[in-house]
Amino acid sequence: MTQPNYSQNQNRKLHLGLFLFSTGYHPAGWRLPEAVTDGAFDPKFLQRVAQKLEEGKFDFFFLGDALATSADMQYQFPSQMVRLEPFTMIAHLTAVTEKIGLIVTANTTYAEPYHIARMTASLDYLSQGRVAWNVVTGADARAALNFSRDKHWDNTKRYDYADEFVQLVKDLWDTWEDDAFVRNKETGVYVDESKVHALHHKGEHFSVAGPLNVARPPQGQIPLLSAGTSERSQELGAQFSNVIFTGQILFEEARKFYASVKSKLAKYGRSREELFIMPGLVPLVGRTEEEARAKYRELSSLLVTNYDLRPLSARIGMDLTGYSLDDPLPDLSLSSLPDPAESREFIRLAQNASGHEDITIRELFHYFAAVVRGHLLLVGSPEQIADEMERWFLNEAADGFNLCSPYMPGGLDLFVDLVVPELQRRGLFRTEYEGTTFREHFGLKRPASRFAKQKAVLGNG
């Protein structure tokens, strides 16, 4: 294992969340005999998943969202075609869990700040401070056609809009100071009006009077999450987010991304401890290495695919289209590739998953198909999975991982039952929750209202 070089807080613990793919992240996960295929609409299944995560002391349960769909997705991610609306589903889970963090996704491009501020604050009350908001701007152009628009906005406009949107939501959460409600039965004073603040915001994209019609959330400021690797998404994350989700397959690339985002925090007056980088991880674990590899082979055999080798060829920089699928990987000089180190590392991951070095083009394709959305697939025993997680964690490639279980619910059960105890034995993961709110899970302090802070400054002046 690579020697750790993390020089700041050697006592830190990694963070774990689940990115729910109800039929499993592996495109063939739903075809396993033991897999659940209708979990996306089964409240008992969703409850079971959230409660299993809470049993494993996970930081959060996360459901992504999309505002468009198409049947052509069925061979890749069937559970992402149609699914429950996240605010409704998370509200349901607040009643059957006690400590697990619960993340809702809301798309700023097709929403209003006042609406999102009200919904998230309401959920924070229902969950007693366990909610976080995953901020997305939308990457699917088909969504525009569902919201009376001719086209999806370009990246620049979406992020300009999101910057103002997120700041407005944060301001709306603060419009009621914590002690604004007096509720004095003797005097008849219910609210101290001096502690309720209208915004009178008139910006480039929004005009919002305020105040919000929900009291300040239990967490004060609800934690924010974001995803993406573009420069604009990194800037949004560095300015606002407490957690960044990212797709990283290669260790050195993950370290570069980690360093890039953390380096942007200072200009927004933030410290490294206020933002956590959590790459996606697809852990295919077995009680033994061979059991895990057997499951991987089973999943590979169930793939529905046309074996189009062009995307794989582009991914590794080798033209494989002229070869038979069962040919061994061509003995080409890796030094002639555009990025030989990246190609070599990707091939190594496929070899590790298959369990041998002399893989065929078909076997390389099987690994490529399983990670095409950009999250790292690891195959192995609990110790092997924990080894790689530890390497990433201790070497500034990750502060934790956003798990995408390859099949459900068995893949998640094995991780919680086998890998979590191994991480705990190594002192890398909590054995009990440190608190009850999302902020407390990440060691984040509850911030004071910006209006209260402004009055304090004026008072001192």
Side-chain angles (χ1 to χ4, degrees):
M1 181 183 300
T2 304
Q3 290 299 310
N5 63 10
Y6 197 91
S7 59
Q8 298 198 4
N9 181 7
Q10 298 293 343
N11 295 318
R12 70 186 185 127
K13 298 288 190 291
L14 62 77
H15 296 276
L16 293 176
L18 178 76
F19 185 179
L20 179 66
F21 288 78
S22 61
T23 56
Y25 182 85
H26 193 287
W30 67 279
R31 297 189 67 199
L32 290 172
E34 69 270 31
V36 171
T37 59
D38 60 353
F41 304 100
D42 181 352
K44 297 296 184 184
F45 172 84
L46 296 169
Q47 291 172 22
R48 179 193 183 285
V49 170
Q51 290 165 349
K52 185 68 178 181
L53 296 174
E54 198 163 69
E55 175 189 321
K57 315 303 179 189
F58 272 52
D59 292 86
F60 60 77
F61 173 106
F62 167 44
L63 176 69
D65 194 27
L67 300 178
T69 192
S70 172
D72 63 12
M73 297 169 63
Q74 68 169 314
Y75 295 121
Q76 293 185 342
F77 298 99
S79 66
Q80 304 306 88
M81 289 173 58
V82 285
R83 52 193 163 181
L84 294 178
E85 187 279 319
F87 279 82
T88 308
M89 191 270 276
I90 292 298
H92 170 72
L93 293 180
T94 65
V96 296
T97 55
E98 295 181 353
K99 293 189 176 180
I100 185 78
L102 301 167
I103 299 174
V104 291
T105 297
N107 188 321
T108 57
T109 304
Y110 301 102
E112 286 287 331
Y114 194 93
H115 195 199
I116 298 304
R118 186 186 188 199
M119 293 170 69
T120 49
S122 298
L123 275 182
D124 208 40
Y125 275 100
L126 291 175
S127 67
Q128 297 182 299
R130 293 187 287 128
V131 162
W133 170 28
N134 177 42
V135 181
V136 299
T137 68
D140 189 344
R142 294 173 298 188
L145 305 179
N146 292 334
F147 289 85
S148 305
R149 298 183 189 175
D150 294 329
K151 64 179 181 179
H152 193 51
W153 292 341
D154 63 28
N155 193 64
T156 298
K157 184 172 183 179
R158 292 202 317 274
Y159 276 100
D160 288 346
Y161 194 82
D163 286 343
E164 187 178 347
F165 191 116
V166 172
Q167 188 58 61
L168 256 174
V169 171
K170 290 172 65 66
D171 289 345
L172 284 164
W173 286 332
D174 274 353
T175 49
W176 293 78
E177 293 183 37
D178 291 320
D179 55 353
F181 289 92
V182 179
R183 300 186 180 99
N184 189 317
K185 293 183 179 181
E186 293 183 4
T187 65
V189 176
Y190 193 81
V191 172
D192 182 345
E193 294 183 10
S194 71
K195 296 182 178 181
V196 185
H197 306 276
L199 295 181
H200 303 301
H201 174 89
K202 291 187 182 297
E204 182 179 353
H205 304 288
F206 302 105
S207 175
V208 178
L212 191 63
N213 60 350
V214 179
R216 193 163 190 251
Q219 295 184 93
Q221 285 286 308
I222 293 169
L224 300 181
L225 303 91
S226 59
T229 57
S230 72
E231 204 50 40
R232 280 303 300 269
S233 65
Q234 288 188 44
E235 289 293 339
L236 184 141
Q239 183 176 2
F240 294 117
S241 296
N242 300 108
V243 177
I244 287 184
F245 299 141
T246 179
Q248 302 289 337
I249 296 176
L250 306 179
F251 175 69
E252 289 301 332
E253 290 303 305
R255 294 189 70 211
K256 290 177 185 176
F257 177 82
Y258 186 102
S260 174
V261 174
K262 296 274 185 172
S263 70
K264 300 178 189 299
L265 291 167
K267 70 179 175 181
Y268 297 108
R270 306 181 67 199
S271 70
R272 291 167 59 96
E273 290 73 27
E274 294 178 73
L275 177 62
F276 299 82
I277 310 296
M278 298 184 66
L281 175 65
V282 189
L284 185 49
V285 60
R287 291 172 182 82
T288 65
E289 179 181 347
E290 181 46 45
E291 181 179 288
R293 294 227 166 89
K295 183 62 68 176
Y296 174 71
R297 290 191 294 269
E298 183 180 5
L299 284 166
S300 297
S301 72
L302 295 173
L303 275 171
V304 177
T305 177
N306 60 4
Y307 285 103
D308 182 357
L309 296 177
R310 289 171 296 179
L312 173 58
S313 297
R315 178 67 179 80
I316 66 169
M318 292 181 183
D319 184 2
L320 302 175
T321 57
Y323 293 87
S324 169
L325 286 170
D326 294 314
D327 284 344
L329 199 62
D331 185 17
L332 301 177
S333 171
L334 288 176
S335 61
S336 66
L337 299 176
D339 195 328
E342 284 194 17
S343 298
R344 189 179 298 115
E345 176 66 7
F346 187 85
I347 292 169
R348 184 190 69 79
L349 289 169
Q351 291 168 331
N352 285 350
S354 299
H356 54 95
E357 293 188 4
D358 54 337
I359 59 173
T360 65
I361 292 174
R362 186 189 302 273
E363 289 172 312
L364 183 61
F365 182 91
H366 286 163
Y367 187 80
F368 174 73
V371 301
V372 69
R373 285 194 69 179
H375 298 309
L376 174 66
L377 171 65
L378 296 177
V379 180
S381 67
E383 294 78 14
Q384 289 170 321
I385 300 293
D387 281 348
E388 194 65 9
M389 293 175 70
E390 184 174 7
R391 183 169 79 105
W392 282 51
F393 177 62
L394 294 180
N395 288 279
E396 297 184 311
D399 292 312
F401 297 91
N402 195 17
L403 264 65
C404 311
S405 184
Y407 61 99
M408 291 291 290
L412 174 63
D413 291 343
L414 285 170
F415 183 91
V416 173
D417 295 342
L418 301 176
V419 180
V420 167
E422 179 62 27
L423 295 171
Q424 290 169 333
R425 279 192 290 271
R426 300 181 187 200
L428 294 171
F429 190 61
R430 66 168 65 89
T431 55
E432 292 294 339
Y433 284 108
E434 298 86 359
T436 60
T437 70
F438 196 106
R439 298 188 74 88
E440 288 170 341
H441 295 342
F442 283 86
L444 299 168
K445 295 180 180 179
R446 186 182 189 275
S449 162
R450 78 171 177 88
F451 292 104
K453 287 189 287 188
Q454 287 171 0
K455 288 199 302 186
V457 170
L458 292 173
N460 291 333

